[in-house]
Amino acid sequence: MSTELAALIGVALILADLAIRIAALIIVPRERKPTAAMAWLLAIFLIPFIGILFFLLIGSAKLPKRRRERQREINELIAARAERVDLAPDRESWPDWFVSLTEQNRILGALPAIEGNSAQLIGDYQASIDAMTAEIDTATRYVHVEFYIVSHDSTTKDFFAAMERAVLRGVTVRVLLDFVASNRTADHDATYAELDRIGAQWSFMLPVHPLKGQYQRPDLRNHRKLVVVDGRVGFTGSQNLIDRSYNSPKNLKRGLQWQELVARVTGPIVTGIDAVFLSDWYLETDELLVSESVPAAAVPADPSPEALVCQVVPSGPGYDAENNLRLFLTLINSAQRRAIITSPYFVPDEAMLYAITSACYRGLDVQLFVSEIGDQGSVWHAQRSYYRDLLRAGVKIWLYPGPYILHSKHLSIDDDVAVIGSSNMDIRSFSLNAEISLLVRGASFTAQMREVEQGYRDVGRQLTLEEWDREPGSATFLDGVARLTSALQ
């Protein structure tokens, strides 16, 4: 190679590098949080060609335009139907902040707050699957199943058998499962074959088939978990439809077991849970099941004084705002006595971190339950990077012991408001995953959650600032690096 040619190539590379940096400064910050923009710019500036490649692959946190338009279309349909009947006639007795919160949720997610519901928490892994199985055996019209991960194994075989019995009775069984997550499980082809064999109608959520025109950022996933039977009983929470070890060789080697929490819900709010399923079914199959949507007014309400006010809050990249993040921020900022958070993957953005620490400075009892060990190294280290800030502010951090992964996802404030669902307190759940959250107002439900939280304390231990200050520098260095990369969204 001649000296002149080498010089030309060198100049071309320098100009290309400069062009990438200038373009990044213009393009990356658009409609992106400053922390996320800075993380992307840092990656592109330090490793320009690799950084820009990753940005092109996973730099957009939005679903394709057509899908977002269809989400808005079905939201308008839901909102129009909800306007026909007042499902919360006693809202004048609610606190002002709760009224405004439910209005925010309705504007962002289309679904209204509804009175007259009941809910029971199930913290035993097999018991929650058994409860869903028992309800499927009572189905007369339809069964709707939606999970991030679905697997036919020794833990879920009775659930699959109940779906088969339902089909044989003439009940329509529909199943949605996330494309990427379910394809990562062991023996996934056998699971799909079993769904076909039993006669379930099923579809992947957010499939990635570029040659078929099905493509979006690969790590935009549908993380929801729910079951609805005949529109009269529903389940939602943190648990997937798979063995407690997730059938993963690395999990089995470490003896890991997942600890979950699921809510069994009855009353008119079940129609809200079903609306989330019907929306996702329409988005994936083009089939709009209006005739199977049970009107909330047609579902018997709980007349007792213990009846709950509930609201379903869907969120994800198909929405224009981070619905779940806004829900959590409003709750923590509205708390007057305590805020108790449980999240397996706790990687807050700046707004959430400030809300939590500000609650401490306001004199509230703020507690955080997390796992002592992690199943995802980068997320676990990113989570640990926040411990010092939290402990210094006064947050009580409780560590759930291994070999269990505390996978439950819930938040409670004061003595009468709580949220349970599929959403973690992390940037991924706020921006990249489709999630479902159930907002509940009622002292009886919050009391159930207090019992669950006390169970976590009984088996776990409290992390202190003195203990954390003894962490080796090598570990905190990894925590800091993971914290930086967690902002890439």
Side-chain angles (χ1 to χ4, degrees):
M1 182 184 296
S2 67
T3 303
E4 293 81 1
L5 181 59
L8 286 173
I9 293 175
V11 169
L13 290 173
I14 292 171
L15 291 175
D17 178 71
L18 182 61
I20 288 174
R21 293 170 189 264
I22 293 173
L25 287 171
I26 297 171
I27 296 171
V28 170
R30 291 177 182 169
E31 298 182 3
R32 186 171 272 109
K33 293 180 181 179
T35 50
M38 286 299 297
W40 275 116
L41 288 173
L42 184 62
I44 292 170
F45 276 41
L46 290 177
I47 45 173
F49 296 103
I50 297 176
I52 196 66
L53 176 62
F54 273 98
F55 181 78
L56 292 173
L57 287 174
I58 62 171
S60 174
K62 292 183 177 180
L63 289 170
K65 181 179 179 182
R66 180 173 177 270
R67 190 180 183 98
R68 285 182 281 124
E69 289 175 346
R70 296 181 76 184
Q71 182 68 68
R72 283 192 286 270
E73 172 191 340
I74 201 162
N75 283 355
E76 291 171 358
L77 177 62
I78 292 170
R81 296 187 69 181
E83 287 179 357
R84 299 172 190 168
V85 59
D86 186 0
L87 301 170
D90 296 328
R91 66 168 53 84
E92 290 185 0
S93 66
W94 303 351
D96 290 343
W97 70 265
F98 189 77
V99 174
S100 61
L101 170 61
T102 58
E103 180 64 10
Q104 169 186 284
N105 295 337
R106 186 194 63 78
I107 291 171
L108 296 178
L111 295 165
I114 303 176
E115 295 176 342
N117 308 287
S118 61
Q120 295 79 42
L121 291 175
I122 308 173
D124 180 273
Y125 198 99
Q126 187 62 56
S128 64
I129 293 179
D130 291 345
M132 297 176 202
T133 301
E135 292 296 345
I136 292 172
D137 274 330
T138 69
T140 59
R141 293 181 54 209
Y142 66 82
V143 175
H144 290 160
V145 176
E146 177 173 342
F147 286 97
Y148 179 58
I149 297 174
V150 172
S151 179
H152 180 244
D153 56 34
S154 59
T155 299
T156 65
K157 60 181 177 60
D158 289 342
F159 186 103
F160 276 74
M163 290 195 293
E164 181 178 9
R165 290 191 293 270
V167 171
L168 292 174
R169 294 196 305 273
V171 174
T172 301
V173 175
R174 299 183 179 91
V175 180
L176 288 170
L177 56 157
D178 185 76
F179 175 81
V180 171
S182 291
N183 271 311
R184 288 175 177 170
T185 62
D187 300 322
H188 52 269
D189 287 336
T191 296
Y192 310 151
E194 181 66 7
L195 288 171
D196 287 333
R197 188 192 69 78
I198 67 177
Q201 300 177 29
W202 66 277
S203 175
F204 287 122
M205 297 183 289
L206 295 173
V208 181
H209 292 134
L211 299 181
K212 298 180 180 179
Q214 297 175 321
Y215 184 79
Q216 62 280 321
R217 175 173 167 170
D219 62 339
L220 298 183
R221 308 310 326 149
N222 195 317
H223 194 240
R224 294 168 179 153
K225 295 102 175 167
L226 63 92
V227 172
V228 175
V229 176
D230 291 344
R232 57 176 175 78
V233 60
F235 297 83
T236 191
S238 62
Q239 188 168 334
N240 285 296
L241 190 61
I242 191 171
D243 181 77
R244 198 174 182 181
S245 68
Y246 279 54
N247 300 318
S248 164
K250 66 176 183 178
N251 293 347
L252 293 169
K253 183 177 181 180
R254 296 175 63 190
L256 298 185
Q257 298 281 298
W258 265 241
Q259 180 64 34
E260 309 284 2
L261 190 65
V262 172
R264 178 188 181 275
V265 185
T266 56
I269 194 59
V270 175
T271 63
I273 300 173
D274 206 20
V276 174
F277 177 90
L278 297 173
S279 298
D280 287 339
W281 186 263
Y282 174 54
L283 292 171
E284 301 299 353
T285 69
D286 294 328
E287 185 180 9
L288 187 58
L289 303 172
V290 175
S291 61
E292 287 205 8
S293 176
V294 178
V299 180
D302 181 354
S304 73
E306 298 294 312
L308 307 171
V309 178
C310 297
Q311 186 174 30
V312 174
V313 184
S315 58
Y319 293 85
D320 295 329
E322 295 168 318
N323 303 357
N324 51 349
L325 173 58
R326 295 175 190 274
L327 166 65
F328 299 147
L329 287 174
T330 302
L331 285 171
I332 293 171
N333 287 327
S334 300
Q336 296 301 305
R337 292 180 296 280
R338 63 184 59 86
I340 303 181
I341 301 165
T342 302
S343 180
Y345 311 115
F346 181 81
V347 187
D349 68 351
E350 289 183 7
M352 179 59 67
L353 183 63
Y354 269 67
I356 292 170
T357 53
S358 294
C360 286
Y361 296 139
R362 289 191 283 125
L364 275 64
D365 174 20
V366 182
Q367 301 184 37
L368 171 65
F369 292 97
V370 292
S371 293
E372 186 170 21
I373 61 175
D375 66 304
Q376 298 182 24
S378 61
V379 178
W380 185 65
H381 279 290
Q383 172 175 293
R384 285 163 43 93
S385 74
Y386 292 92
Y387 287 174
R388 180 169 283 107
D389 292 336
L390 296 169
L391 290 167
R392 283 177 174 171
V395 177
K396 299 182 184 73
I397 300 178
W398 295 87
L399 302 178
Y400 199 87
Y404 298 98
I405 299 295
L406 182 59
H407 195 247
S408 306
K409 311 162 199 295
H410 45 94
L411 162 66
S412 60
I413 69 164
D414 299 337
D415 296 316
D416 60 352
V417 177
V419 172
I420 183 172
S422 66
S423 180
N424 299 305
M425 286 278 186
D426 71 350
I427 296 170
R428 168 163 295 281
S429 280
F430 297 153
S431 301
L432 306 180
N433 287 342
E435 307 283 7
I436 180 172
S437 300
L438 179 67
L439 172 66
V440 181
R441 180 170 181 260
S444 61
F445 184 80
T446 307
Q448 291 184 61
M449 195 163 282
R450 291 283 178 265
E451 292 181 9
V452 171
E453 294 158 355
Q454 186 57 48
Y456 298 160
R457 293 187 197 94
D458 291 342
V459 300
R461 67 181 183 87
Q462 188 174 352
L463 177 67
T464 65
L465 181 58
E466 292 74 21
E467 177 186 348
W468 189 250
D469 282 339
R470 294 193 296 269
E471 279 290 299
S474 58
T476 54
F477 169 76
L478 290 174
D479 296 344
V481 172
R483 182 170 178 166
L484 285 174
T485 58
S486 71
L488 293 175
Q489 55 171 290

